[in-house]
């Protein structure tokens, strides 16, 4: 089968990205792959949908660096193909990265993904589900038991009142965005730079304030879910603990966080089970949960990362499991001749 990976840009891809791991796993299983970016869709006058894909030769790469060099170099060719020639469209872009500089590009994946699904291509995560998750407000639709206490507002007075209620401090961040950008810990309303922080963050729109969780000093746990359940292979869960750098609130790996092994406890599995029904309902095939203590700080449904770090730590290739799951879905789609809706098939 042919799998198309939709990303923000080819230039920004790196050997350590989870998309790289997934693409290499697809190649190793004999599939054709290509990469798409926001400008690569063409809807023609006859209502046919085409894509301009960056295609890599069907060979296996032993190292991620070699794969990445081929993707960026002359080995890759540009081919125009009807979307019917694409079995799976894997939406792996981060809308927040395009929100400021290229607002037209931010939601192209979900827009054209919906058209691709209507023409028979399996699209994951489901584009309708992703449209519901365009900002962190989506998180509020999950059970309150797994969420920190949260305020969403653009009012500095409301923010101050919320801070006063939480003597352990609060975390403040923009409603839209990802990757740990503009995330601040506020200890009290007496902090001298509170107004400056508020102005900086509120310039991006609404703010989220959440009560600070003391367990965050140990970092958060990134746990992958596939088809609504924890991704597991040979008794090992696809999970890492992301430990923040000294003096840093964020535990994101690109913010100098460190990935270490983690034991997944029954309590963590219970948290994952709590969010499973909605993720399945929304067609969220591959998801990353960020867990601190007994709470989820964030649910990444667009570009959950960390599979390469997990391979380095455990020596387990979880990406292969993901590709096998897609193979099974395409088999089911073909057997039912398109009678199963994309959102259902995405997490079947």
């Amino acid at each position: 089968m042919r799998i198309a990976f939709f990303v923000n840009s080819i230039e920004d891809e790196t050997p350590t990205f989870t998309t790289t791991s997934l693409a290499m796993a697809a190649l190793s299983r004999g599939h054709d792959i290509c990469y798409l970016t926001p400008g690569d869709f063409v809807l023609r006058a006859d209502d046919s949908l085409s894509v301009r894909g960056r295609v890599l030769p069907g060979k296996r790469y032993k190292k991620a660096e070699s794969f990445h060099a081929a993707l960026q170099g002359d080995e890759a060719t540009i081919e125009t193909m009807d979307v019917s020639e694409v079995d799976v469209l894997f939406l792996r872009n981060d809308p927040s990265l395009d929100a400021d500089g290229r607002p037209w590009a931010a939601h192209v994946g979900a827009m054209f993904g919906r058209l691709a699904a209507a023409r028979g291509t399996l699209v994951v995560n489901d584009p309708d589900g992703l449209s519901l998750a365009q900002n962190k407000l989506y998180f509020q639709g999950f059970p309150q038991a797994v969420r920190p206490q949260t305020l969403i507002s653009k009012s500095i007075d409301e923010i101050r009142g919320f801070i006063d209620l939480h003597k352990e401090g609060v975390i403040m961040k923009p409603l839209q965005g990802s990757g740990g950008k503009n995330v601040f810990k506020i200890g009290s309303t007496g902090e001298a730079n509170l107004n400056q922080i508020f102005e900086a963050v509120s310039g991006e729109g609404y703010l989220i304030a959440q009560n600070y969780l003391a367990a965050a000093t140990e970092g958060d746990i990134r746990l992958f879910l596939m088809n609504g359940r924890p991704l597991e292979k040979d008794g090992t869960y696809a999970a890492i603990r992301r430990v923040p750098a000294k003096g840093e609130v964020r535990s994101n790996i690109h913010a100098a966080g460190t990935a270490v092994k983690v034991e997944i406890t029954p309590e963590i599995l219970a948290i994952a089970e709590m969010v499973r029904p909605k993720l399945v309902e929304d067609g969220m095939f591959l998801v990353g949960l960020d867990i601190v203590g007994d709470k989820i700080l964030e649910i990444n449904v667009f570009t959950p990362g960390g599979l390469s770090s997990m391979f380095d730590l455990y020596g387990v290739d979880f990406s292969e499991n993901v590709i096998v799951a897609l193979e099974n879905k395409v088999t089911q789609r073909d057997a039912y001749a398109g009678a199963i809706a994309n959102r259902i098939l995405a997490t079947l």
Side-chain angles (χ1 to χ4, degrees), residues 14 31-32 43 45 59 66-67 86 117 133 152 168 201 256 264 275 347:
T14 75
H31 302 302
D32 296 328
L43 183 62
K59 74 176 196 179
S66 300
F67 171 86
V86 177
I152 299 175
E168 73 280 11
V201 182
I264 297 302
V275 300
T347 52

Side-chain angles (χ1 to χ4, degrees), residues 63-74:
K63 295 183 177 180
E65 291 75 14
S66 300
F67 171 86
H68 181 256
L71 177 67
Q72 304 274 2
D74 295 335

Side-chain angles (χ1 to χ4, degrees), residues 164-212:
D164 285 337
L165 291 174
H166 296 88
K167 302 306 179 184
E168 73 280 11
V170 305
I171 296 294
M172 193 162 67
K173 55 190 175 182
L175 179 64
Q176 292 183 288
S178 66
K181 180 182 177 183
N182 283 338
V183 177
F184 298 93
K185 181 180 184 294
I186 309 297
S188 72
T189 53
E191 291 195 9
N193 61 346
L194 177 59
N195 286 338
Q196 291 91 328
I197 292 175
F198 175 82
E199 290 175 6
V201 182
S202 64
E204 299 184 27
Y206 274 84
L207 288 78
I208 293 181
Q210 296 177 324
N211 67 296
Y212 178 71

